[in-house]
Amino acid sequence: TRETVEEILEAYPAKVAKKRSKHVIIRNPEEIDQEIAANERTTPGIITQRGCAYAGCKGVVVGPFGDCIHIVHGPIGCSYYAWMTRRNQYKTREDGRNWLNYSFSTDLQEEDIVFGGINKLKTAVREAYNIFDPKPKSITIHATCPVGLIGDDIQGAAKELTEELGLPVVAFNCEGYKGVSQSAGHHIANNGFFKHWIGTDTETEEIEGFTVNLMGEYNIGGDAWEIERVLEKCGIKTVATFSGDGTYDAATKAHLAKVNLVMCHRSINYMATMMETKYGVPWIKVNFIGIHAFAKSIRKVARFFDNPELTARVEEVLTEEIALAEAQLAEYRKRLEGKTVFLFVGGSRAHHYQELFADLGMKTIVAGYEFAHRDDYEGRQALPKIRVDADSRNIEELEVEPDPERYNPTRPPEVLEQLREEKVIGDYEGMMPDMGEDTLLVDNISHHELDVLIKRFKPDLIGSGIKDKYIIEKFGIPCKQLHSYDYGGPFAGFRGAVNFAKDVDLRVNGQAWKYIKAPWQK
Ligand code: CFM
Ligand code: HCA
């Protein structure tokens, strides 16, 4: 492993090598508080898989709300290349609202860049509003790079249009360059939702039952539906989902849920923390990917509510679901046991999927996030040690205080204290503790680094995305896309695990791979 790291770094100029060496870490469980550098600028010239702030805001966090219209203010390319690529699913409700398949854009032209695009934006918002009946529940505006450069006042326009049209028009200054990756866009989206959507239902006073919000779950390939199926079976009610299959009305009531279940810590931790401060809603870090991860997570939820009936029901459901899934997984496990995996995905799946691979008997030997922060690797205890650099300072930190009327913790303070101590609420331990000795962590991996790792370790499968899928497969190694799921899914929960096993088996044990010669090997 040490030699591999050396080979990786050798190819770089000294300054770059020094920088990258902090992002490529050999896991050593003996070392307390092992560190890794993350959430830093990519060195120009290096090919990475990262996206931009606009992708993180519009594409990831805001876009999945299907009963709203999301308008991109920018040149058409920003819209076109993000159109329907992320597979966040939405089912049309009785009211018929569903704009998920649309691509709304102001299509900025050179003339608008010179003379300003704000009138064009206002016209676009009015037009989108007028065309449809029923009307969207909310209209969101997303700025891409040139809009920030020319200084169009999209916040002012949103305010004006909110009054004019009588529905919330929310503008996001998520210009692509706002951060070092899509991660900046998550934060901007969280802020916008928190300011303009959350808690705006002031009429509903209480929602009965074991209520939760599913946060940082985007319903890729139908994941959220499988999670909700099991939650429902246990008697746990989902109030709102951020954002997969999410609706505006549910989001405005989210503050009434008793606890927030945080799937993707990276993309939604901001909102979880702000909701806790303002409304007293605690959060539990969960992972519903993998059958044992699911069991562990839902037991935390049962522990939180501490209700004997609920606990009994959860155990009953787990016994039934695990038995069924295990029986179906057994056949695949026989063929997959001992196989090795690399995982390079976004800001949470490179961790989450390790648990599902473990269910299949497969070992993750190299893993890394594209854009997660140190807390997603090292755990939240790293937070105080993270240096806030100029790039992070760029993004607004909202000042949040307890709501004088609506701050309403659902458990007594001493119980919350106990739950915090047990790490049931308010904690995420990150990816590192789950990685074995001598495994490798590579943050924001480059194509060069991937090449070296493939040649050295020849894994049986790589879980990654569209930007490197075909490079990997030219090496004769199957790649499973863990963003789009290669158009399959769901992979969450119990039924999802079985779907996943089947897909993985087809790839890992497919005979075609050994006949592949890369163009450069011929
Ligand atoms: Fe969270 Fe996501 Fe991910 Fe993410 Fe993404 Fe995604 Fe991802 Mo692609 S919110 S960090 S910005 S889990 S779009 S649904 S798959 S990179 S690991
Ligand atoms: C994004 C979206 C993406 C890209 C997927 C990929 C997704 O980063 O803007 O690189 O394969 O999940 O759709 O992460």
Side-chain angles (χ1 to χ4, degrees), residues 377-407:
Y377 284 105
E378 301 169 37
R380 283 180 70 94
Q381 84 281 348
L383 280 173
K385 292 184 288 180
I386 297 177
R387 196 173 49 89
V388 183
D389 61 10
D391 291 309
S392 317
R393 240 192 306 277
N394 227 351
I395 306 158
E396 192 186 2
E397 278 292 342
L398 298 185
E399 295 253 354
V400 184
E401 279 172 12
D403 187 299
E405 272 125 52
R406 296 191 288 171
Y407 182 82

Side-chain angles (χ1 to χ4, degrees), residues 8 92 123 159 184 268 272 342 369 377 398 402 429 456 519:
I8 283 175
T92 312
T123 307
K159 221 174 187 175
I268 215 84
F342 289 180
Y369 298 120
Y377 284 105
L398 298 185
E429 293 185 311
R456 286 259 181 179

Side-chain angles (χ1 to χ4, degrees), residues 76-137:
I76 194 64
C78 309
S79 306
Y80 184 76
Y81 290 104
W83 186 15
M84 303 277 320
T85 57
R86 186 160 164 266
R87 300 198 65 242
N88 43 279
Q89 316 218 326
Y90 182 79
K91 64 173 174 293
T92 312
R93 311 300 204 271
E94 270 163 24
D95 64 14
R97 291 180 174 88
N98 183 353
W99 288 278
L100 211 77
N101 299 347
Y102 288 75
S103 178
F104 295 94
S105 172
T106 54
D107 181 24
L108 277 194
Q109 302 290 323
E110 206 169 284
E111 192 185 286
D112 307 312
I113 301 292
V114 175
F115 296 106
I118 205 71
N119 290 329
K120 201 170 186 186
L121 172 67
K122 290 184 196 171
T123 307
V125 173
R126 291 188 189 108
E127 193 181 322
Y129 179 82
N130 288 329
I131 287 174
F132 298 100
D133 198 21
K135 303 297 172 197
K137 288 283 185 170

Side-chain angles (χ1 to χ4, degrees), residues 53-64 82 85-86 88 142 174 218 220:
Y54 151 72
C57 180
K58 192 269 175 186
V60 174
V61 181
V62 182
T85 57
R86 186 160 164 266
N88 43 279
H142 302 263
C174 56
Y218 300 92
I220 309 301

Side-chain angles (χ1 to χ4, degrees), residues 55 86 182 465-467 481 483:
R86 186 160 164 266
Q182 49 269 66
I466 194 66
K467 294 154 203 157
Q481 289 190 69
H483 301 256

Side-chain angles (χ1 to χ4, degrees), residues 4-273:
T4 309
V5 176
E6 275 160 24
E7 186 185 338
I8 283 175
L9 299 176
E10 252 164 35
Y12 293 128
K15 245 171 106 175
V16 180
K18 189 168 167 227
K19 213 175 142 207
R20 282 304 297 160
S21 69
K22 300 192 174 78
H23 297 258
V24 185
I25 299 295
I26 303 170
R27 174 69 182 137
N28 175 13
E30 307 272 279
E31 191 180 327
I32 312 162
D33 294 339
Q34 194 173 16
E35 287 184 15
I36 184 166
N39 189 33
E40 287 176 359
R41 288 184 188 191
T42 305
T43 305
I46 286 186
I47 305 172
T48 93
Q49 332 290 36
R50 280 179 169 175
C52 66
Y54 151 72
C57 180
K58 192 269 175 186
V60 174
V61 181
V62 182
F65 281 91
D67 58 357
C68 304
I69 287 181
H70 310 292
I71 300 182
V72 179
H73 188 32
I76 194 64
C78 309
S79 306
Y80 184 76
Y81 290 104
W83 186 15
M84 303 277 320
T85 57
R86 186 160 164 266
R87 300 198 65 242
N88 43 279
Q89 316 218 326
Y90 182 79
K91 64 173 174 293
T92 312
R93 311 300 204 271
E94 270 163 24
D95 64 14
R97 291 180 174 88
N98 183 353
W99 288 278
L100 211 77
N101 299 347
Y102 288 75
S103 178
F104 295 94
S105 172
T106 54
D107 181 24
L108 277 194
Q109 302 290 323
E110 206 169 284
E111 192 185 286
D112 307 312
I113 301 292
V114 175
F115 296 106
I118 205 71
N119 290 329
K120 201 170 186 186
L121 172 67
K122 290 184 196 171
T123 307
V125 173
R126 291 188 189 108
E127 193 181 322
Y129 179 82
N130 288 329
I131 287 174
F132 298 100
D133 198 21
K135 303 297 172 197
K137 288 283 185 170
S138 172
I139 295 177
T140 70
I141 297 165
H142 302 263
T144 70
C145 295
V147 169
L149 299 177
I150 64 174
D152 276 355
D153 178 16
I154 63 164
Q155 298 295 341
K159 221 174 187 175
E160 188 186 320
L161 289 158
T162 298
E163 275 163 39
E164 181 186 318
L165 303 175
L167 90 171
V169 179
V170 183
F172 296 88
N173 278 98
C174 56
E175 290 86 352
Y177 59 77
K178 275 287 164 70
V180 302
S181 71
Q182 49 269 66
S183 170
H186 301 150
H187 196 163
I188 293 164
N190 279 232
N191 288 351
F193 276 161
F194 193 74
K195 276 200 266 191
H196 299 284
W197 282 20
I198 307 286
T200 52
D201 178 339
T202 47
E203 276 168 22
T204 320
E205 275 175 12
E206 206 198 320
I207 304 173
E208 298 246 310
F210 304 115
T211 52
V212 303
N213 295 315
L214 203 47
M215 301 190 96
E217 167 43 61
Y218 300 92
N219 204 25
I220 309 301
D223 274 355
W225 292 327
E226 164 65 1
I227 297 167
E228 282 169 23
R229 175 186 75 80
V230 185
L231 292 182
E232 228 166 80
K233 204 166 156 185
C234 294
I236 298 164
K237 208 190 288 176
T238 308
V239 175
T241 307
F242 288 89
S243 313
D245 196 36
T247 66
Y248 169 79
D249 285 344
T252 64
K253 295 183 189 26
H255 62 296
L256 297 168
K258 300 198 171 64
V259 65
N260 279 323
L261 307 187
V262 173
M263 260 291 272
C264 170
H265 174 265
R266 183 65 267 133
S267 62
I268 215 84
N269 73 86
Y270 319 94
M271 194 136 64
T273 319

